[in-house]
Amino acid sequence: MECFDLYDVHRNKTGKVLERGSKVPEGCYRLVVHVCVFGSDGRMLIQKRQPFKSGWSGMWDITAGGSALAGDSSQQAASRELMEEVGIEHSLEGMRPAMTIYFDGGFNDIYTINMDVDIDSLQLQKTEVEQVKWASEEEILEMLKNKEFVLYKTSFISLLFFLRNHNGAFTHKDPTKNASK
């Protein structure tokens, strides 16, 4: 039985846990994580969900993701999901998410990693992942249009590609600030 920590609106643990499949109580939140791996050529490593998997069966998705288990930090959960689903061992300790998206009943921390990976050497989690491949932003947007990719908003996919090489929303330092001060 998998259990998830419950948080308050400020992301403080409440000391309560939730069993998988149970409804998140009003005023509580759970933690979900996603990891997007980008190669040096700018393409994202994507996974195809198994056809027997409930929810988005047989559709392509971003590199890895899932719920944080009770006791996991966001970084631990992201590292675990990356290893479990696609066989990439990479510590995210000390790394902040590229962004957090809030949804009814939870927080979704999204990490972006730049690394080249030989997909032929990956150990895929057969209960979750059918196959992986590299895809450009344009290819993913086309897959979205054809309903072959999990139905994220197109702006979300574009934002992921933008965030792979940026730290924050600004493209340049503030020119009104004197660098010598």
Side-chain angles (χ1 to χ4, degrees):
M1 165 182 59
E2 288 184 325
C3 291
F4 315 120
D5 288 317
L6 289 174
Y7 298 82
D8 66 18
V9 71
H10 303 290
R11 290 184 68 133
N12 298 309
K13 287 184 181 179
T14 63
K16 299 175 187 172
V17 295
L18 180 75
E19 288 183 23
R20 180 177 287 285
S22 299
K23 187 177 183 324
V24 177
E26 186 71 31
C28 290
Y29 304 87
R30 66 187 181 98
L31 177 60
V32 174
V33 295
H34 282 91
V35 182
C36 299
V37 174
F38 291 94
S40 58
D41 62 0
R43 295 183 301 164
M44 184 193 301
L45 181 65
I46 61 174
Q47 64 157 283
K48 188 172 187 184
R49 297 171 62 84
Q50 287 285 8
F52 51 79
K53 184 94 173 104
S54 69
W56 310 109
S57 304
M59 296 183 86
W60 288 92
D61 199 354
I62 59 181
T63 311
S67 295
L69 300 177
D72 278 349
S73 68
S74 174
Q75 295 85 356
Q76 288 168 333
S79 295
R80 179 181 41 76
E81 289 293 337
L82 191 59
M83 181 62 185
E84 284 179 2
E85 291 187 5
V86 295
I88 296 174
E89 190 171 344
H90 184 80
S91 175
L92 292 157
E93 286 304 313
M95 186 175 177
R96 292 187 315 171
M99 70 175 146
T100 299
I101 296 177
Y102 301 94
F103 62 94
D104 287 341
F107 311 103
N108 186 352
D109 286 346
I110 301 163
Y111 295 87
T112 59
I113 301 170
N114 293 304
M115 70 168 33
D116 290 316
V117 176
D118 174 11
I119 61 173
D120 293 328
S121 68
L122 297 178
Q123 299 294 317
L124 306 182
Q125 185 178 25
K126 296 300 179 192
T127 57
E128 301 251 346
V129 181
E130 182 179 351
Q131 68 184 83
V132 293
K133 70 178 183 178
W134 291 103
S136 67
E137 179 179 357
E138 294 75 21
E139 290 169 319
I140 294 173
L141 293 176
E142 186 65 24
M143 294 167 85
L144 261 173
K145 185 174 145 186
N146 296 329
K147 295 187 171 43
E148 300 168 309
F149 205 90
V150 171
L151 300 177
Y152 298 109
K153 295 184 183 301
T154 56
S155 56
F156 172 69
I157 296 298
S158 294
L159 183 57
L160 292 174
F161 276 85
F162 171 79
L163 288 173
R164 78 184 188 278
N165 289 320
H166 291 84
N167 185 8
F170 294 102
T171 58
H172 296 87
K173 291 186 177 181
D174 183 349
T176 65
K177 300 285 184 193
N178 185 342
S180 64
K181 288 185 181 179

